[in-house]
Amino acid sequence: MPHPPTEEAHRLGATLQGLGANPDFGAPGFRILVFAPVGRTAELAKQALGRAGFACTVCAAMDEFCAAFREGAGAALLVEEALSSAASVRLLVDALTEQPVWSDCPVQVFVANSEKPSPPLATLARLCAGRSVLLLDRPVTPGSLISVMRAALQNRARQYALRDLLAQYDEARAEADSANRAKGEFLSVMSHELRTPLNAIGGYTELIEMGIRGPVTPEQRTDLERIRMSQKHLLGLVNEVLNYTKLETGTVEYDIADVPVREAFASAEALVMPQARAKGLELVIGETERAMAVRADADKLRQILVNLLTNAVKFTHPKGRIYLDCEREGECICFTVRDTGIGIPEDRLAAVFEPFVQVRSDLTRTQEGTGLGLAISRQLARGMGGNLVVVSAPGVGSTFTLKLPA
């Protein structure tokens, strides 16, 4: 059963119909090329079409016809005698196949018997299958000729409309790409500029704590610790933005190798376990085969796992559980990070990997982060030939699955 047309399809169809509804058939782009080397056929056809308001150009030879066709035409009219040899058929086929992607100029060939075409015409039909090349029986009345060519030019008008839409799309895409590059460059520059003063804040805080500037009271040490924590938090946010801009600009390099799964688990556990314990959560690490390995960049795999586990810690209530496990699935290794946290509403699942998106703004505003962790993780996963997906339900928890080549 065919799928119903989408809203975009309806809109595109309406646009095409609107643009091609009232074409000017006398305009140069709608000229009809006529090649009929039989008596006065070409002249009579030109007269009949001219009286109906069509612009026509009569060609005296096939090479002249094909040259004019390449310059641009609304439709073409030929008779069987114009295609009596394999050479003439080849010239026409070459001209037809050299058209732009959007173009399929209608070609009407009037023949003695369309059901039993001559060998050259049969070759033309075979080589041009799928194109707007029609074999029509003759004789034909002036009224029928005008009707056929009007229908052909209406088809051509829709092609021109599609060409214009494609040009608008390419222009809009180029503008969007330029704006995206400017955004990435801005974020990258700002990130670098912010790192310098933040590192200086951290350095001077350590110097004061060491007593180099004089004795430090307990109250001052408490304040300095808060300053250092804030500095690390801001530096982490800046680093996230910088990492994201590198992914967006395609400047991230991957050092792909065989990474033992046990080592990846151990490094991620060491970084996240203190956070889980501080919040009263149980972190359960699954057992893996000693020889199990995954094709990945070790640092980026660890970054993804830490991002997923840190997210789980943020959104799981105290006394909850977080599970890290993996299993082999065909030629892939599937890592899963499952929690018993607040979960994600179904209508927000599609946006969970979008950059700068806070899926639960009522909760995440109290948590640290830029909303880039999951966006970065998925792009890193895809950069290593894998993918990252999620299944979740409010009040039940979330399960993130990272699939990478084994």
Side-chain angles (χ1 to χ4, degrees):
M1 178 179 247
H3 295 290
T6 64
E7 182 180 347
E8 291 78 5
H10 282 303
R11 186 162 55 249
L12 176 60
T15 303
L16 291 176
Q17 289 177 3
L19 291 173
N22 298 296
D24 179 10
F25 289 151
F30 288 99
R31 68 170 176 161
I32 300 172
L33 300 179
V34 179
F35 180 34
V38 180
R40 298 183 62 242
T41 301
E43 189 61 33
L44 292 174
K46 180 179 180 180
Q47 291 176 7
L49 294 171
R51 285 194 295 269
F54 298 110
C56 293
T57 298
V58 175
C59 301
M62 179 55 76
D63 55 353
E64 178 187 344
F65 173 88
C66 291
F69 187 91
R70 289 184 172 90
E71 292 177 1
L77 187 158
L78 300 97
V79 295
E80 184 172 0
E81 291 78 5
L83 298 165
S84 58
S85 67
S88 60
V89 169
R90 173 49 61 186
L91 287 173
L92 178 58
V93 170
D94 288 345
L96 290 172
T97 54
E98 291 172 10
Q99 296 179 88
V101 174
W102 59 267
S103 179
D104 187 15
C105 184
V107 177
Q108 322 294 328
V109 184
F110 290 97
V111 301
N113 188 344
S114 59
E115 294 184 358
K116 294 182 179 180
S118 63
L121 290 177
T123 300
L124 175 68
R126 177 175 57 82
L127 294 177
C128 293
R131 291 191 173 273
S132 296
V133 177
L134 297 179
L135 304 184
L136 303 171
D137 290 320
R138 63 183 185 189
V140 60
T141 65
S144 297
L145 175 63
I146 291 169
S147 296
V148 167
M149 300 314 297
R150 179 174 286 110
L153 291 178
Q154 287 284 2
N155 178 24
R156 191 61 167 162
R158 288 189 288 272
Q159 294 178 30
Y160 288 147
L162 178 60
R163 175 200 61 189
D164 295 342
L165 285 176
L166 290 174
Q168 294 174 19
Y169 169 76
D170 288 340
E171 183 179 351
R173 184 176 61 181
E175 291 178 357
D177 289 343
S178 177
N180 195 49
R181 284 194 299 271
K183 177 198 72 176
E185 291 171 2
F186 170 77
L187 291 174
S188 180
V189 170
M190 289 303 298
S191 298
H192 281 294
E193 292 297 323
L194 288 170
R195 283 162 62 97
T196 300
L198 286 172
N199 285 328
I201 291 171
Y204 280 111
T205 301
E206 290 182 5
L207 289 175
I208 294 172
E209 283 184 319
M210 293 167 62
I212 292 179
R213 304 301 185 186
V216 181
T217 67
E219 292 79 7
Q220 290 173 331
R221 289 191 183 278
T222 300
D223 292 339
L224 290 171
E225 179 62 24
R226 290 172 179 170
I227 293 173
R228 185 166 57 184
M229 289 178 61
S230 297
Q231 179 263 346
K232 287 184 176 179
H233 170 54
L234 288 175
L235 192 58
L237 299 182
V238 169
N239 286 334
E240 274 197 350
V241 173
L242 187 58
N243 288 337
Y244 180 72
T245 56
K246 288 180 179 179
L247 286 166
E248 284 286 280
T249 55
T251 57
V252 174
E253 296 182 357
Y254 296 87
D255 182 15
I256 303 298
D258 290 340
V259 180
V261 172
R262 282 193 174 186
E263 290 184 10
F265 275 16
S267 60
E269 179 184 10
L271 292 170
V272 179
M273 182 62 79
Q275 302 174 41
R277 287 177 176 170
K279 196 173 178 181
L281 301 173
E282 182 181 358
L283 180 57
V284 181
I285 307 298
E287 293 292 331
T288 61
E289 302 172 15
R290 182 174 297 276
M292 184 181 288
V294 62
R295 293 290 294 172
D297 182 309
D299 292 336
K300 294 175 177 59
L301 173 58
R302 180 175 61 251
Q303 182 178 350
I304 295 173
L305 294 179
V306 170
N307 278 344
L308 296 178
L309 290 169
T310 301
N311 258 15
V313 170
K314 287 180 183 179
F315 301 111
T316 302
H317 296 303
K319 299 184 180 179
R321 287 187 177 183
I322 299 170
Y323 302 86
L324 172 60
D325 208 344
C326 78
E327 63 180 0
R328 184 180 295 272
E329 187 178 292
E331 297 299 318
C332 296
I333 299 293
C334 291
F335 297 85
T336 56
V337 174
R338 179 168 58 90
D339 62 57
T340 58
I342 61 175
I344 304 168
E346 184 177 357
D347 62 343
R348 300 295 292 161
L349 278 175
V352 73
F353 294 110
E354 295 299 319
F356 303 107
V357 170
Q358 298 286 6
V359 177
R360 290 288 303 273
S361 58
D362 56 326
L363 295 171
T364 54
R365 294 307 177 191
T366 63
Q367 304 288 346
E368 298 179 357
T370 59
L372 286 174
L374 291 177
I376 291 173
S377 295
R378 184 174 67 173
Q379 291 204 39
L380 289 176
R382 291 179 174 177
M384 293 186 290
N387 200 13
L388 179 62
V389 297
V390 61
V391 176
S392 185
V396 177
S398 304
T399 300
F400 286 86
T401 302
L402 169 65
K403 181 179 289 189
L404 292 172

